[in-house]
Amino acid sequence: MASLSSLCSSSPSLKPKPAASLPKTVLNPPFPGKPTSLSFPIRSSKPLDVAAHSVAREIAADSSKSGGNSVPGKPKKGLEKDPQALWRRYVDWLYQHKDLGLYLDVSRIGFTDEFFREMEPRFQQSFDAMEGLEKGAIANPDEGRMVGHYWLRNSELTPTPFLKTQIESTLDCICTFADEIVSGKIKPPASEAGRFTQIMAVGIGGSALGPQFVAEALAPDNPPLKIRFIDNTDPAGIDHQVAQLGSELASTLVIVTSKSGGTPETRNGLLEVQKAFREAGLDFAKQGVAITQENSLLDNTARIEGWLARFPMFDWVGGRTSVMSAVGLLPAALQGIDIREMLTGAALMDEATRSRDLRNNPAALLALCWYWASDGVGSKDMVVLPYKDSLLLFSRYLQQLVMESIGKEFDLDGNRVNQGLTVYGNKGSTDQHASNTHLRNSYGCVRWKLIANCLDFYEDGKIDLKLLQGTRSALYANDRESVSVTVQEVTPRSVGALIALYERAVGLYASLVNINAYHQPGVEAGKKAAGEVLALQKRVLAVLNEASCKDPVEPLTLEEVADRCHAPEDIEMIYKIIAHMAANDRALIADGHCGSPRSIKVYLGECNVDALY
Ligand SMILES: O=P(O)(O)OC[C@H]1O[C@H](O)[C@H](O)[C@@H](O)[C@@H]1O
């Protein structure tokens, strides 16, 4: 078994995948007739507006009461419809990143010049905050940690030489390990294939969504190792994944990813997979890889059981921004995706989004549009419509990145703000035939208007421009604002850039609305609630055990169980716990049946005398 430290001392050897083996998407220039050079007026930075954040909060509070539309300078009128004026707006505002071949069109968002001027100084504050974050400030005060995903793609930025070495040596280890797995130097012990052919990735949330998006977007048609995911605790779903592997379980590399190393869903997935290995007579440890924080439960398990390899997750990288750490890079490299290109794309975008010139910073422009269109309080939804099949999972990826980062009850000063941006979307064309009627016509309620965030991807005439532009025009005609992001090719570089673009937009937007983008109190509440259910389950078991040890056995009604647990207010949860135990043959129903809670009388199949005292 290669230990964390020995793994991280090896040198890079993964050769970049030749461009020819990447998905081929050679494209036409996306904007026919687009001027070759655009002049963006250079604006001098205004002095910092110290009151800006509190103004924003007042606006946000008012806006949430009134249903929005009280952003500074935002007129209560329809969008510009004159074609000539729209063309000028398009040309004036079109952002282009030449090296990345990426375009951002914000012309179909109706912000005014006045709004832009008023927001500019506030953006300067957000840029300051971002600069501090990149220099190693404790940007997540709740968890007392730095936020360093930007360092992953440019290790020169790390605040200490130790972190730089950590990043570089881990990247080297990933490349070396992937190379040795792909080449067959590291072999599965009991497979006739003579090399690993499959990856089973076990993880959830940020430990699954990034790798899933990258695999869908970039894996070649015939990757050296094919990947599948276990990202739920559904036993049937896990069985299905294992069954589909069949005899290839013997040549499956199991990558278990969990930053905390203690997430129950991931732990359940691991236990189920280990069981499948035992039943097939295979030694799991020889095929298991852990990606987790050092000394976590998962890390200790992997170390003690002698797994094939362990890779670190860093404290200063959050789950939802971890795709450029070992979490996303290891599975990507094993699928033959050029991970150094992904990092380059992200680094180029990071550089562009450090610009303090708001007009020339694509992430700031995105954040500006989100703020304008949703009144700075998330009064509208964000619909992500990718017109490339390979980007199908981008909306799912962005759901976590945006909603977990922005959806917050309190701001940084402890004021209740109930912030959030709702993200959904499938594929552009599919949505055209499914949800777009709603998007175009319905307000649902005042807070359910639309931001269509169209990701248009043109591919050598293969995508029908009429449909894409038709959606944009139809939405606009009905006063639905949209942003269009265009990349010329879906490559590791452009995917890295897209991820970096949205990461920065989220950070800047969060700073504008004065919230912590890097913690997840909602999830903590969920984990706490899960812990409380577990504690209640123990009490229910103790009460049922006591009644079941009596002679004769005393079946109890749900009310009796709740009373004896001193938890009458939790009777519904007690019913669900008992129904679950009955479904798993741990509790026996004496009277009634689970579908009629009032009729139930229940006892345990076995009395555990030892547990009585
Ligand atoms: O990587 P893990 O520690 O297993 O966490 C998995 C997920 O857990 C929670 O849901 C967090 O809110 C996510 O941000 C995280 O990605």
Side-chain angles (χ1 to χ4, degrees):
M1 125 114 179
S3 77
L4 193 74
S5 50
S6 69
L7 261 173
C8 290
S9 59
S10 33
S11 54
S13 55
L14 187 72
K15 309 285 176 301
K17 193 86 186 148
S21 63
L22 291 169
K24 263 263 175 243
T25 49
V26 182
L27 307 171
N28 285 333
F31 292 101
K34 192 185 73 58
T36 46
S37 70
L38 291 169
S39 65
F40 295 124
I42 308 289
R43 314 218 160 193
S44 58
S45 314
K46 291 185 183 171
L48 292 184
D49 179 355
V50 179
H53 278 128
S54 58
V55 171
R57 279 196 303 281
E58 282 162 29
I59 290 162
D62 286 342
S63 220
S64 61
K65 276 182 220 132
S66 68
N69 225 359
S70 56
V71 172
K74 183 166 183 177
K76 293 179 181 175
K77 67 178 176 77
L79 298 168
E80 175 64 68
K81 297 287 164 48
D82 171 52
Q84 286 306 316
L86 265 180
W87 167 243
R88 281 195 300 278
R89 186 171 173 81
Y90 172 73
V91 173
D92 281 350
W93 284 96
L94 185 63
Y95 170 86
Q96 175 192 18
H97 193 301
K98 284 209 177 96
D99 290 346
L100 288 167
L102 181 144
Y103 298 80
L104 176 68
D105 163 22
V106 297
S107 64
R108 265 49 174 185
I109 300 277
F111 58 82
T112 59
D113 290 348
E114 191 191 352
F115 171 79
F116 182 80
R117 276 194 301 276
E118 286 178 37
M119 293 300 282
E120 243 190 338
R122 293 177 52 190
F123 266 96
Q124 296 308 320
Q125 287 188 320
S126 301
F127 294 141
D128 287 344
M130 196 52 79
E131 205 176 298
L133 176 148
E134 285 202 356
K135 284 187 175 149
I138 302 297
N140 181 353
D142 287 22
E143 292 168 21
R145 64 173 177 83
M146 299 185 289
V147 173
H149 47 277
Y150 296 104
W151 311 330
L152 295 170
R153 44 261 191 163
N154 182 356
S155 58
E156 298 299 328
L157 295 173
T158 53
T160 69
F162 173 71
L163 294 181
K164 181 172 165 13
T165 311
Q166 240 188 348
I167 293 169
E168 288 170 359
S169 61
T170 304
L171 183 57
D172 287 347
C173 298
I174 290 168
C175 293
T176 306
F177 181 75
D179 202 19
E180 291 179 354
I181 291 282
V182 170
S183 68
K185 189 169 170 195
I186 301 177
K187 294 183 181 17
S191 165
E192 284 169 13
R195 66 173 195 88
F196 283 100
T197 58
Q198 299 273 345
I199 305 165
M200 175 79 89
V202 185
I204 200 161
S207 294
L209 289 160
Q212 280 168 330
F213 166 52
V214 168
E216 185 80 15
L218 296 173
D221 290 342
N222 292 302
L225 279 83
K226 289 199 182 92
I227 195 163
R228 56 183 67 242
F229 292 88
I230 292 179
D231 60 350
N232 194 6
T233 51
D234 173 17
I238 298 173
D239 288 350
H240 178 64
Q241 293 297 338
V242 172
Q244 283 199 325
L245 282 172
S247 61
E248 271 192 280
L249 192 65
S251 60
T252 298
L253 191 71
V254 182
I255 303 180
V256 186
T257 305
S258 173
K259 180 178 173 183
S260 60
T263 302
E265 290 90 336
T266 305
R267 174 102 188 128
N268 289 348
L270 166 63
L271 293 176
E272 285 295 312
V273 174
Q274 283 182 320
K275 186 166 142 254
F277 269 73
R278 270 196 308 280
E279 286 169 1
L282 297 167
D283 181 355
F284 176 84
K286 300 263 180 341
Q287 297 177 228
V289 176
I291 303 178
T292 184
Q293 287 192 112
E294 225 167 337
N295 295 324
S296 70
L297 175 65
L298 174 60
D299 188 40
N300 290 335
T301 307
R303 185 170 37 76
I304 291 162
E305 292 180 1
W307 292 16
L308 180 62
R310 288 148 47 225
F311 290 87
M313 271 189 89
F314 308 120
D315 164 58
W316 39 266
V317 176
R320 55 187 170 274
T321 50
S322 64
V323 64
M324 308 262 174
S325 72
V327 174
L329 296 183
L330 179 64
L334 289 163
Q335 292 169 85
I337 295 166
D338 188 339
I339 59 174
R340 292 191 188 270
E341 270 293 287
M342 263 173 73
L343 292 167
T344 301
L348 284 169
M349 181 52 76
D350 289 345
E351 212 177 301
T353 57
R354 265 179 215 119
S355 169
R356 281 179 172 261
D357 173 8
L358 185 43
R359 289 184 78 114
N360 208 15
N361 178 331
L365 284 174
L366 264 187
L368 180 89
C369 292
W370 295 353
Y371 196 102
W372 166 268
S374 73
D375 302 336
V377 292
S379 61
K380 296 177 189 170
D381 297 348
M382 177 150 67
V383 185
V384 180
L385 306 175
Y387 281 78
K388 285 287 292 177
D389 284 350
S390 60
L391 294 170
L392 169 69
L393 297 184
F394 198 38
S395 54
R396 223 185 272 182
Y397 174 76
L398 288 180
Q399 251 172 359
Q400 189 199 24
L401 178 65
V402 177
M403 292 170 80
E404 204 173 50
S405 303
I406 307 289
K408 298 292 156 68
E409 188 175 6
F410 297 103
D411 70 8
L412 285 167
D413 303 321
N415 303 306
R416 186 184 299 274
V417 288
N418 297 111
Q419 272 289 350
L421 282 175
T422 309
V423 181
Y424 55 91
N426 185 355
K427 285 186 204 173
S429 302
T430 303
D431 286 342
Q432 176 73 31
H433 294 277
S435 53
N436 273 14
T437 304
H438 168 79
L439 301 182
R440 188 170 183 273
N441 300 322
S442 160
Y443 281 88
C445 67
V446 187
R447 294 172 66 85
W448 275 67
K449 299 174 197 168
L450 162 81
I451 308 166
N453 192 345
C454 299
L455 282 164
D456 16 62
F457 293 93
Y458 298 68
E459 187 184 2
D460 213 11
K462 283 184 205 153
I463 284 179
D464 190 339
L465 279 186
K466 288 194 299 297
L467 295 182
L468 186 147
Q469 293 301 344
T471 302
R472 179 170 173 263
S473 304
L475 291 172
Y476 193 76
N478 253 23
D479 288 336
R480 271 42 171 191
E481 298 167 294
S482 71
V483 170
S484 298
V485 180
T486 306
V487 292
Q488 292 181 341
E489 280 186 85
V490 177
T491 61
R493 187 178 280 229
S494 62
V495 166
L498 274 176
I499 290 170
L501 172 65
Y502 279 82
E503 280 176 354
R504 186 81 87 182
V506 162
L508 291 173
Y509 182 86
S511 177
L512 282 181
V513 298
N514 193 36
I515 55 156
N516 179 353
Y518 304 106
H519 67 167
Q520 46 275 330
V523 178
E524 289 316 310
K527 284 183 183 166
K528 194 168 157 253
E532 284 164 6
V533 172
L534 211 63
L536 184 61
Q537 183 172 336
K538 280 189 184 150
R539 273 148 64 202
V540 169
L541 258 176
V543 163
L544 286 179
N545 187 48
E546 199 173 329
S548 306
C549 285
K550 286 190 178 157
D551 191 12
V553 169
E554 183 192 9
L556 299 176
T557 64
L558 291 175
E559 282 79 7
E560 285 165 341
V561 178
D563 280 348
R564 292 184 194 188
C565 286
H566 308 293
E569 69 285 2
D570 289 329
I571 189 158
E572 186 178 330
M573 184 51 71
I574 289 172
Y575 161 59
K576 286 179 180 159
I577 289 170
I578 286 175
H580 188 255
M581 284 165 55
N584 288 298
D585 295 330
R586 292 176 69 197
L588 301 180
I589 306 292
D591 279 328
H593 60 89
C594 270
S596 310
R598 284 204 183 88
S599 66
I600 293 179
K601 279 198 159 196
V602 66
Y603 64 101
L604 291 188
E606 277 176 22
C607 149
N608 181 355
V609 181
D610 294 341
L612 287 176
Y613 307 105

